[in-house]
Amino acid sequence: MSERSERTTDTAEPLDRAARVESVDSATDVFVAHRNLLFTVAYEMLGSAADAEDVLQETWLRWAAVDRAAVREQRAYLVRIVTRQALDRMRALGRRKETYVGPWLPEPLLTAPDVAEDVELADSISMAMLLVMETLAPVERAVFVLREVFGLDYDEIAEAVGRSPAAVRQLAYRARAHVAARRPRGTVSPAQTRAALQAFQRAVETGELQSLLDILAPQVVALSDGGGVRHALLRPIVGADKVARLLAGGWWRRDAERSVEPVQINGGPGLVVRVDGEVDGVVAVRVENGFVTGAYHVRNPEKLARMARETAVSRRFPGRSASVTDQGE
């Protein structure tokens, strides 16, 4: 080999390595810019933060391996990957939930106060709405989330779920009607929400029955999720009197040092219950017209891992919307 050839060979590998590093860095920058959005899409489809994180990991691996020069619109392409990965995970979760002990509740998220200011986002990630979306078929749920929450056009959703735009329109119509018939109704101001939560907290802390009856709606529903690991309700409890007696009796041990802290859970009012300094459970509260209409108590330890820090959620799309290539992921 000539001296010139040797010099060319010696410099080619470092240049290739530098190009690969630059490519990975570029892919990382794009992924990080969209990460909160992608997590929110996956979480709203799955109701599980742990599974949403797994979906994001798969999405990153596929994104890093893509020829990004062929991708015309990065955001749309990433949404397509995360949607398809979430759909696969939803089918696996469906089988897991069939053997779940007691009621299944979504994994609660500790959210920042500003999430509640985005009314549509807060409503879409609320415990009550996530439970309504549990009654949709997987593809219907994906279409509903992408259309009603994130405002994607039908062509873009069709790319994500592998259906025709006409089929997506029909799915969106059915899902919207299904959710409208079951979603919680009623409006409440932030001041009413704070007042109801404070009253609820005082009543729970004191166990005073009349105080609870004063702030519970007549048809309030209480659900509890222990996952077969912690003591919890095995079926929903309906009615102010029954729920008040349940709360007055305590959902947790009375023979321990207990504290109740008001927080934002899934964009709405909630309480973190600590026993002997450790998180024992989370109660997300649904407030409508100044009354508590739903109390969702999560005690399954596997679902409490994110109570140590706020989880960032977003429905904002960096960049402009456009179509994507036909390159498969």
Side-chain angles (χ1 to χ4, degrees), residues 24-328:
V24 171
D25 287 347
S26 174
T28 301
D29 290 343
V30 172
F31 185 82
V32 169
H34 292 81
R35 191 187 189 287
N36 291 347
L37 167 73
L38 298 174
F39 173 85
T40 309
V41 171
Y43 176 74
E44 293 205 17
M45 289 178 62
L46 299 166
S48 165
D51 287 291
E53 292 288 1
D54 288 344
V55 164
L56 257 63
Q57 180 65 22
E58 288 296 324
T59 299
W60 159 249
L61 292 174
R62 291 170 184 270
W63 172 244
V66 162
D67 177 9
R68 287 175 296 283
V71 177
R72 293 198 297 273
E73 215 294 314
Q74 296 168 333
R75 185 268 300 168
Y77 194 84
L78 282 166
V79 169
R80 192 167 92 181
I81 300 176
V82 84
T83 298
R84 293 188 179 181
Q85 294 301 309
L87 280 171
D88 289 343
R89 185 60 61 101
M90 285 172 74
R91 296 179 182 107
L93 282 176
R95 293 188 292 271
R96 194 191 310 170
K97 290 172 187 175
E98 290 174 0
T99 59
Y100 199 79
V101 178
W104 181 93
L105 288 175
E107 183 177 349
L109 303 179
L110 188 64
T111 52
D114 62 351
V115 172
E117 297 172 6
D118 186 339
V119 177
E120 291 185 18
L121 175 61
D123 180 65
S124 70
I125 64 171
S126 69
M127 286 284 189
M129 178 57 78
L130 291 173
L131 285 172
V132 171
M133 288 196 286
E134 280 291 309
T135 62
L136 296 171
V139 176
E140 283 182 333
R141 183 167 181 172
V143 170
F144 181 84
V145 167
L146 296 177
R147 180 63 182 174
E148 300 301 316
V149 180
F150 296 96
L152 271 63
D153 61 47
Y154 291 113
D155 289 343
E156 194 169 353
I157 299 172
E159 289 278 359
V161 301
R163 302 290 180 90
S164 69
V168 165
R169 285 179 180 274
Q170 285 297 110
L171 287 166
Y173 175 81
R174 288 205 307 267
R176 191 162 46 243
H178 182 95
V179 170
R182 293 163 176 80
R183 76 188 307 163
R185 291 180 172 84
T187 59
V188 61
S189 69
Q192 285 179 312
T193 298
R194 285 193 298 270
L197 181 63
Q198 289 168 359
F200 184 83
Q201 179 182 353
R202 287 195 301 271
V204 168
E205 288 176 327
T206 63
E208 208 282 309
L209 194 61
Q210 188 57 52
S211 298
L212 284 164
L213 289 170
D214 289 343
I215 53 117
L216 296 178
Q219 293 302 308
V220 60
V221 178
L223 295 96
S224 182
D225 178 347
V229 180
R230 296 275 185 86
H231 176 72
L233 304 173
L234 293 179
R235 64 183 185 279
I237 302 296
V238 181
D241 186 64
K242 292 180 180 178
V243 172
R245 292 182 186 279
L246 172 72
L247 291 168
W251 274 348
W252 38 78
R253 289 164 34 217
R254 291 284 179 180
D255 59 347
E257 183 178 344
R258 178 169 52 89
S259 66
V260 182
E261 176 190 0
V263 292
Q264 286 280 324
I265 297 294
N266 288 55
L271 303 171
V272 171
V273 180
R274 289 183 172 85
V275 173
D276 293 333
E278 299 294 329
V279 175
D280 182 79
V282 170
V283 184
V285 180
R286 177 77 183 184
V287 178
E288 298 177 62
N289 300 319
F291 293 95
V292 174
T293 59
Y296 311 98
H297 184 207
V298 179
R299 295 196 70 212
N300 184 344
E302 293 183 357
K303 296 184 178 183
L304 300 176
R306 302 180 79 89
M307 288 301 103
R309 66 188 188 281
E310 292 179 351
T311 297
V313 293
S314 175
R315 61 192 184 99
R316 296 176 182 171
F317 290 105
R320 297 176 60 187
S321 175
S323 59
V324 298
T325 69
D326 291 331
Q327 179 182 341

